[in-house]
mmCIF file of all heavy atoms in Angstrom:
data_model
loop_
_atom_site.group_PDB
_atom_site.id
_atom_site.type_symbol
_atom_site.label_atom_id
_atom_site.label_comp_id
_atom_site.label_asym_id
_atom_site.label_seq_id
_atom_site.Cartn_x
_atom_site.Cartn_y
_atom_site.Cartn_z
ATOM 1 N N VAL V 435 0.835 -0.937 28.493
ATOM 2 C CA VAL V 435 1.552 0.174 29.071
ATOM 3 C C VAL V 435 3.026 -0.166 28.847
ATOM 4 O O VAL V 435 3.433 -1.281 29.107
ATOM 5 C CB VAL V 435 1.357 0.275 30.635
ATOM 6 C CG1 VAL V 435 2.023 1.455 31.123
ATOM 7 C CG2 VAL V 435 -0.077 0.193 31.024
ATOM 8 N N PRO V 451 -2.103 -5.269 38.094
ATOM 9 C CA PRO V 451 -1.364 -4.595 37.009
ATOM 10 C C PRO V 451 -0.885 -3.186 37.341
ATOM 11 O O PRO V 451 -1.460 -2.497 38.129
ATOM 12 C CB PRO V 451 -2.360 -4.543 35.895
ATOM 13 C CG PRO V 451 -3.445 -5.418 36.243
ATOM 14 C CD PRO V 451 -3.455 -5.621 37.716
ATOM 15 N N MET V 452 0.301 -2.842 36.743
ATOM 16 C CA MET V 452 0.737 -1.440 37.038
ATOM 17 C C MET V 452 0.355 -0.584 35.927
ATOM 18 O O MET V 452 0.747 -0.842 34.726
ATOM 19 C CB MET V 452 2.297 -1.484 37.099
ATOM 20 C CG MET V 452 2.776 -2.125 38.368
ATOM 21 S SD MET V 452 4.605 -2.046 38.477
ATOM 22 C CE MET V 452 4.838 -0.378 39.046
ATOM 23 N N LEU V 453 -0.550 0.314 36.123
ATOM 24 C CA LEU V 453 -1.157 1.038 35.043
ATOM 25 C C LEU V 453 -0.470 2.428 34.917
ATOM 26 O O LEU V 453 0.382 2.752 35.595
ATOM 27 C CB LEU V 453 -2.637 1.131 35.197
ATOM 28 C CG LEU V 453 -3.194 -0.266 35.157
ATOM 29 C CD1 LEU V 453 -4.592 -0.334 35.880
ATOM 30 C CD2 LEU V 453 -3.341 -0.798 33.748
ATOM 31 N N SER V 454 -1.083 3.126 33.879
ATOM 32 C CA SER V 454 -0.481 4.441 33.532
ATOM 33 C C SER V 454 -1.519 5.476 33.838
ATOM 34 O O SER V 454 -2.644 5.157 34.331
ATOM 35 C CB SER V 454 -0.160 4.344 32.024
ATOM 36 O OG SER V 454 0.262 5.472 31.633
ATOM 37 N N LEU V 455 -1.215 6.715 33.564
ATOM 38 C CA LEU V 455 -2.102 7.811 33.890
ATOM 39 C C LEU V 455 -2.476 8.529 32.560
ATOM 40 O O LEU V 455 -1.664 8.679 31.661
ATOM 41 C CB LEU V 455 -1.405 8.828 34.773
ATOM 42 C CG LEU V 455 -1.074 8.386 36.214
ATOM 43 C CD1 LEU V 455 -0.205 9.405 36.877
ATOM 44 C CD2 LEU V 455 -2.358 8.286 36.974
ATOM 45 N N ASP V 456 -3.738 9.053 32.528
ATOM 46 C CA ASP V 456 -4.129 9.935 31.415
ATOM 47 C C ASP V 456 -3.431 11.276 31.647
ATOM 48 O O ASP V 456 -3.125 11.689 32.761
ATOM 49 C CB ASP V 456 -5.565 10.128 31.526
ATOM 50 C CG ASP V 456 -6.258 9.578 30.317
ATOM 51 O OD1 ASP V 456 -5.575 9.075 29.409
ATOM 52 O OD2 ASP V 456 -7.514 9.655 30.233
ATOM 53 N N ASN V 457 -3.208 11.960 30.570
ATOM 54 C CA ASN V 457 -2.546 13.242 30.681
ATOM 55 C C ASN V 457 -3.535 14.399 30.429
ATOM 56 O O ASN V 457 -4.464 14.326 29.670
ATOM 57 C CB ASN V 457 -1.453 13.377 29.571
ATOM 58 C CG ASN V 457 -0.313 12.476 29.813
ATOM 59 O OD1 ASN V 457 0.001 12.151 30.979
ATOM 60 N ND2 ASN V 457 0.321 12.043 28.797
ATOM 61 N N GLU V 488 0.203 15.673 43.789
ATOM 62 C CA GLU V 488 1.610 15.228 44.053
ATOM 63 C C GLU V 488 2.443 15.603 42.858
ATOM 64 O O GLU V 488 1.913 15.571 41.747
ATOM 65 C CB GLU V 488 1.576 13.746 44.254
ATOM 66 C CG GLU V 488 0.649 13.145 45.180
ATOM 67 C CD GLU V 488 0.458 11.636 45.067
ATOM 68 O OE1 GLU V 488 1.237 11.011 44.259
ATOM 69 O OE2 GLU V 488 -0.503 11.119 45.742
ATOM 70 N N PRO V 489 3.642 15.902 43.039
ATOM 71 C CA PRO V 489 4.540 16.053 41.821
ATOM 72 C C PRO V 489 4.584 14.770 41.076
ATOM 73 O O PRO V 489 4.627 13.616 41.696
ATOM 74 C CB PRO V 489 5.911 16.375 42.453
ATOM 75 C CG PRO V 489 5.650 16.811 43.910
ATOM 76 C CD PRO V 489 4.417 16.023 44.260
ATOM 77 N N LYS V 490 4.790 14.788 39.749
ATOM 78 C CA LYS V 490 4.904 13.627 38.981
ATOM 79 C C LYS V 490 6.452 13.469 38.774
ATOM 80 O O LYS V 490 7.079 14.181 38.048
ATOM 81 C CB LYS V 490 4.235 13.689 37.641
ATOM 82 C CG LYS V 490 4.278 12.480 36.765
ATOM 83 C CD LYS V 490 3.286 12.569 35.635
ATOM 84 C CE LYS V 490 3.272 11.233 34.917
ATOM 85 N NZ LYS V 490 4.534 10.835 34.272
ATOM 86 N N ILE V 491 7.070 12.458 39.406
ATOM 87 C CA ILE V 491 8.428 12.254 39.436
ATOM 88 C C ILE V 491 8.852 11.579 38.070
ATOM 89 O O ILE V 491 8.263 10.642 37.699
ATOM 90 C CB ILE V 491 8.867 11.362 40.602
ATOM 91 C CG1 ILE V 491 8.188 11.591 41.882
ATOM 92 C CG2 ILE V 491 10.395 11.357 40.767
ATOM 93 C CD1 ILE V 491 8.448 13.046 42.463
ATOM 94 N N ASP V 492 9.893 12.205 37.486
ATOM 95 C CA ASP V 492 10.338 11.685 36.211
ATOM 96 C C ASP V 492 11.394 10.666 36.382
ATOM 97 O O ASP V 492 12.599 10.833 36.181
ATOM 98 C CB ASP V 492 10.811 12.845 35.337
ATOM 99 C CG ASP V 492 10.845 12.512 33.870
ATOM 100 O OD1 ASP V 492 10.407 11.420 33.558
ATOM 101 O OD2 ASP V 492 11.313 13.317 33.086
ATOM 102 N N GLY V 493 10.997 9.489 36.822
ATOM 103 C CA GLY V 493 11.942 8.327 37.057
ATOM 104 C C GLY V 493 11.278 7.167 36.473
ATOM 105 O O GLY V 493 10.732 7.206 35.352
ATOM 106 N N LEU V 494 11.462 5.947 37.144
ATOM 107 C CA LEU V 494 10.787 4.832 36.656
ATOM 108 C C LEU V 494 10.078 4.098 37.751
ATOM 109 O O LEU V 494 10.540 4.100 38.914
ATOM 110 C CB LEU V 494 11.789 3.888 36.014
ATOM 111 C CG LEU V 494 12.975 3.312 36.792
ATOM 112 C CD1 LEU V 494 13.291 1.990 36.284
ATOM 113 C CD2 LEU V 494 14.127 4.221 36.575
ATOM 114 N N SER V 495 8.885 3.617 37.446
ATOM 115 C CA SER V 495 8.039 3.099 38.511
ATOM 116 C C SER V 495 8.436 1.713 38.963
ATOM 117 O O SER V 495 8.956 0.908 38.091
ATOM 118 C CB SER V 495 6.606 3.054 38.163
ATOM 119 O OG SER V 495 6.437 2.684 36.825
ATOM 120 N N MET V 496 8.291 1.419 40.177
ATOM 121 C CA MET V 496 8.780 0.121 40.815
ATOM 122 C C MET V 496 7.757 -0.422 41.757
ATOM 123 O O MET V 496 7.053 0.296 42.333
ATOM 124 C CB MET V 496 9.992 0.551 41.623
ATOM 125 C CG MET V 496 10.891 -0.543 42.216
ATOM 126 S SD MET V 496 11.444 -1.625 40.888
ATOM 127 C CE MET V 496 12.303 -0.444 39.770
ATOM 128 N N ARG V 511 7.996 -1.811 35.883
ATOM 129 C CA ARG V 511 6.591 -1.920 35.399
ATOM 130 C C ARG V 511 6.476 -2.848 34.167
ATOM 131 O O ARG V 511 5.551 -3.568 33.975
ATOM 132 C CB ARG V 511 6.139 -0.483 34.994
ATOM 133 C CG ARG V 511 4.753 -0.454 34.538
ATOM 134 C CD ARG V 511 4.211 0.898 34.428
ATOM 135 N NE ARG V 511 4.856 1.691 33.348
ATOM 136 C CZ ARG V 511 4.334 2.855 32.937
ATOM 137 N NH1 ARG V 511 3.294 3.291 33.451
ATOM 138 N NH2 ARG V 511 4.971 3.465 31.951
ATOM 139 N N GLY V 547 6.119 3.076 43.697
ATOM 140 C CA GLY V 547 6.611 4.444 43.701
ATOM 141 C C GLY V 547 7.609 4.558 42.585
ATOM 142 O O GLY V 547 7.767 3.803 41.665
ATOM 143 N N GLU V 548 8.343 5.693 42.689
ATOM 144 C CA GLU V 548 9.369 6.004 41.647
ATOM 145 C C GLU V 548 10.786 6.022 42.129
ATOM 146 O O GLU V 548 11.096 6.578 43.144
ATOM 147 C CB GLU V 548 8.955 7.434 41.239
ATOM 148 C CG GLU V 548 9.345 7.805 39.764
ATOM 149 C CD GLU V 548 8.308 7.316 38.813
ATOM 150 O OE1 GLU V 548 7.293 6.605 39.085
ATOM 151 O OE2 GLU V 548 8.507 7.601 37.539
ATOM 152 N N TYR V 600 4.287 6.242 46.428
ATOM 153 C CA TYR V 600 3.079 6.971 46.234
ATOM 154 C C TYR V 600 1.901 6.130 45.851
ATOM 155 O O TYR V 600 0.807 6.687 45.653
ATOM 156 C CB TYR V 600 3.318 8.074 45.159
ATOM 157 C CG TYR V 600 3.838 7.542 43.803
ATOM 158 C CD1 TYR V 600 3.094 6.721 43.033
ATOM 159 C CD2 TYR V 600 5.071 7.881 43.318
ATOM 160 C CE1 TYR V 600 3.553 6.228 41.833
ATOM 161 C CE2 TYR V 600 5.531 7.410 42.143
ATOM 162 C CZ TYR V 600 4.795 6.575 41.386
ATOM 163 O OH TYR V 600 5.267 6.096 40.229
ATOM 164 N N ALA V 601 2.101 4.813 45.682
ATOM 165 C CA ALA V 601 0.909 4.018 45.315
ATOM 166 C C ALA V 601 1.149 2.579 45.834
ATOM 167 O O ALA V 601 2.057 2.282 46.491
ATOM 168 C CB ALA V 601 0.759 3.996 43.770
ATOM 169 N N GLN V 613 -6.086 8.194 50.059
ATOM 170 C CA GLN V 613 -4.738 8.263 49.444
ATOM 171 C C GLN V 613 -3.769 8.964 50.378
ATOM 172 O O GLN V 613 -2.684 8.465 50.661
ATOM 173 C CB GLN V 613 -4.860 9.076 48.152
ATOM 174 C CG GLN V 613 -3.577 9.500 47.417
ATOM 175 C CD GLN V 613 -2.984 8.229 46.737
ATOM 176 O OE1 GLN V 613 -3.678 7.346 46.195
ATOM 177 N NE2 GLN V 613 -1.670 8.281 46.544
ATOM 178 N N ASN V 628 6.819 12.193 48.859
ATOM 179 C CA ASN V 628 7.156 13.437 48.405
ATOM 180 C C ASN V 628 6.610 14.662 49.337
ATOM 181 O O ASN V 628 5.361 14.665 49.521
ATOM 182 C CB ASN V 628 6.710 13.688 46.914
ATOM 183 C CG ASN V 628 7.295 14.830 46.386
ATOM 184 O OD1 ASN V 628 6.976 16.058 46.767
ATOM 185 N ND2 ASN V 628 8.371 14.704 45.559
ATOM 186 N N ASP V 659 7.930 16.033 35.695
ATOM 187 C CA ASP V 659 7.439 16.496 34.435
ATOM 188 C C ASP V 659 6.003 16.838 34.457
ATOM 189 O O ASP V 659 5.272 17.027 33.443
ATOM 190 C CB ASP V 659 7.675 15.375 33.250
ATOM 191 C CG ASP V 659 7.028 14.046 33.669
ATOM 192 O OD1 ASP V 659 6.599 13.817 34.776
ATOM 193 O OD2 ASP V 659 6.987 13.232 32.729
ATOM 194 N N VAL V 661 2.250 17.352 37.499
ATOM 195 C CA VAL V 661 1.775 16.920 38.819
ATOM 196 C C VAL V 661 0.661 15.894 38.611
ATOM 197 O O VAL V 661 0.173 15.763 37.478
ATOM 198 C CB VAL V 661 1.243 18.123 39.572
ATOM 199 C CG1 VAL V 661 2.392 19.082 40.000
ATOM 200 C CG2 VAL V 661 0.279 18.901 38.800
ATOM 201 N N VAL V 662 0.369 15.122 39.617
ATOM 202 C CA VAL V 662 -0.674 14.046 39.540
ATOM 203 C C VAL V 662 -1.841 14.436 40.571
ATOM 204 O O VAL V 662 -1.433 14.803 41.691
ATOM 205 C CB VAL V 662 -0.119 12.673 39.863
ATOM 206 C CG1 VAL V 662 -1.145 11.626 39.596
ATOM 207 C CG2 VAL V 662 1.118 12.423 39.036
ATOM 208 N N LYS V 664 -5.096 12.787 42.482
ATOM 209 C CA LYS V 664 -5.694 11.636 42.780
ATOM 210 C C LYS V 664 -6.897 11.850 43.725
ATOM 211 O O LYS V 664 -6.722 12.578 44.728
ATOM 212 C CB LYS V 664 -4.763 10.657 43.363
ATOM 213 C CG LYS V 664 -3.531 10.361 42.543
ATOM 214 C CD LYS V 664 -2.575 9.508 43.401
ATOM 215 C CE LYS V 664 -1.311 9.329 42.525
ATOM 216 N NZ LYS V 664 -0.249 8.766 43.327
ATOM 217 N N PHE V 676 -11.303 1.945 36.269
ATOM 218 C CA PHE V 676 -10.270 2.255 35.169
ATOM 219 C C PHE V 676 -10.980 2.288 33.791
ATOM 220 O O PHE V 676 -12.051 1.667 33.640
ATOM 221 C CB PHE V 676 -9.290 1.109 35.171
ATOM 222 C CG PHE V 676 -8.463 1.069 36.406
ATOM 223 C CD1 PHE V 676 -8.896 0.475 37.604
ATOM 224 C CD2 PHE V 676 -7.188 1.735 36.450
ATOM 225 C CE1 PHE V 676 -8.191 0.469 38.764
ATOM 226 C CE2 PHE V 676 -6.463 1.741 37.584
ATOM 227 C CZ PHE V 676 -6.902 1.076 38.765
ATOM 228 N N ARG V 679 -6.195 1.636 29.961
ATOM 229 C CA ARG V 679 -4.934 1.640 30.755
ATOM 230 C C ARG V 679 -4.751 2.580 31.895
ATOM 231 O O ARG V 679 -3.686 2.570 32.546
ATOM 232 C CB ARG V 679 -3.737 1.705 29.755
ATOM 233 C CG ARG V 679 -3.701 3.019 29.105
ATOM 234 C CD ARG V 679 -2.699 3.147 27.974
ATOM 235 N NE ARG V 679 -2.852 4.435 27.386
ATOM 236 C CZ ARG V 679 -1.885 5.343 27.509
ATOM 237 N NH1 ARG V 679 -0.734 5.096 28.173
ATOM 238 N NH2 ARG V 679 -2.001 6.593 26.947
ATOM 239 N N SER V 680 -5.743 3.391 32.165
ATOM 240 C CA SER V 680 -5.606 4.402 33.240
ATOM 241 C C SER V 680 -6.764 4.535 34.199
ATOM 242 O O SER V 680 -7.922 4.313 33.706
ATOM 243 C CB SER V 680 -5.236 5.740 32.631
ATOM 244 O OG SER V 680 -5.440 5.831 31.254
ATOM 245 N N PRO V 681 -6.502 4.931 35.357
ATOM 246 C CA PRO V 681 -7.642 5.072 36.275
ATOM 247 C C PRO V 681 -8.492 6.331 35.943
ATOM 248 O O PRO V 681 -7.889 7.302 35.542
ATOM 249 C CB PRO V 681 -6.959 5.286 37.680
ATOM 250 C CG PRO V 681 -5.589 5.740 37.342
ATOM 251 C CD PRO V 681 -5.232 5.270 36.001
ATOM 252 N N TRP V 683 -9.824 7.940 38.352
ATOM 253 C CA TRP V 683 -9.718 8.774 39.600
ATOM 254 C C TRP V 683 -8.378 9.568 39.608
ATOM 255 O O TRP V 683 -8.158 10.258 40.639
ATOM 256 C CB TRP V 683 -9.896 7.899 40.830
ATOM 257 C CG TRP V 683 -9.134 6.661 40.819
ATOM 258 C CD1 TRP V 683 -9.566 5.341 40.463
ATOM 259 C CD2 TRP V 683 -7.790 6.413 41.118
ATOM 260 N NE1 TRP V 683 -8.663 4.433 40.487
ATOM 261 C CE2 TRP V 683 -7.500 5.033 40.940
ATOM 262 C CE3 TRP V 683 -6.680 7.214 41.532
ATOM 263 C CZ2 TRP V 683 -6.217 4.408 41.199
ATOM 264 C CZ3 TRP V 683 -5.412 6.606 41.725
ATOM 265 C CH2 TRP V 683 -5.257 5.282 41.629
ATOM 266 N N ALA V 684 -7.498 9.485 38.589
ATOM 267 C CA ALA V 684 -6.311 10.173 38.667
ATOM 268 C C ALA V 684 -5.944 10.754 37.274
ATOM 269 O O ALA V 684 -6.410 10.264 36.246
ATOM 270 C CB ALA V 684 -5.189 9.296 39.127
ATOM 271 N N ALA V 686 -2.545 12.966 35.161
ATOM 272 C CA ALA V 686 -1.272 13.634 35.231
ATOM 273 C C ALA V 686 -1.399 14.932 34.465
ATOM 274 O O ALA V 686 -1.709 14.983 33.310
ATOM 275 C CB ALA V 686 -0.113 12.817 34.579
HETATM 276 S S1 IVH S 778 0.305 7.113 40.360
HETATM 277 C C1 IVH S 778 -2.535 3.861 38.505
HETATM 278 N N1 IVH S 778 1.741 9.047 41.166
HETATM 279 O O1 IVH S 778 3.787 8.283 36.150
HETATM 280 C C2 IVH S 778 -1.566 5.002 38.488
HETATM 281 N N2 IVH S 778 2.432 8.015 39.224
HETATM 282 O O2 IVH S 778 2.008 7.742 33.638
HETATM 283 C C3 IVH S 778 -0.412 4.877 39.380
HETATM 284 N N3 IVH S 778 4.596 8.746 38.271
HETATM 285 O O3 IVH S 778 3.775 4.856 35.933
HETATM 286 C C4 IVH S 778 0.572 5.933 39.191
HETATM 287 N N4 IVH S 778 4.967 10.253 39.849
HETATM 288 O O4 IVH S 778 5.881 5.978 36.722
HETATM 289 C C5 IVH S 778 1.596 8.177 40.287
HETATM 290 N N5 IVH S 778 3.092 10.810 42.131
HETATM 291 C C6 IVH S 778 2.868 9.905 41.195
HETATM 292 C C7 IVH S 778 3.758 9.693 40.182
HETATM 293 C C8 IVH S 778 3.538 8.776 39.128
HETATM 294 C C9 IVH S 778 5.442 9.675 38.749
HETATM 295 C C10 IVH S 778 4.761 7.975 37.125
HETATM 296 C C11 IVH S 778 4.660 6.482 37.273
HETATM 297 C C12 IVH S 778 3.509 6.030 36.417
HETATM 298 C C13 IVH S 778 3.447 7.104 35.400
HETATM 299 C C14 IVH S 778 2.085 7.222 34.923
#
Side-chain angles (χ1 to χ4, degrees):
V435 187
M452 288 183 81
L453 297 159
S454 179
L455 293 168
D456 241 0
N457 290 329
E488 313 164 6
K490 184 169 187 294
I491 318 298
D492 200 5
L494 59 147
S495 44
M496 188 61 51
R511 181 167 72 167
E548 204 84 355
Y600 56 64
Q613 171 76 27
N628 194 285
D659 59 346
V661 290
V662 184
K664 301 173 184 171
F676 295 82
R679 63 189 179 110
S680 13
W683 43 264

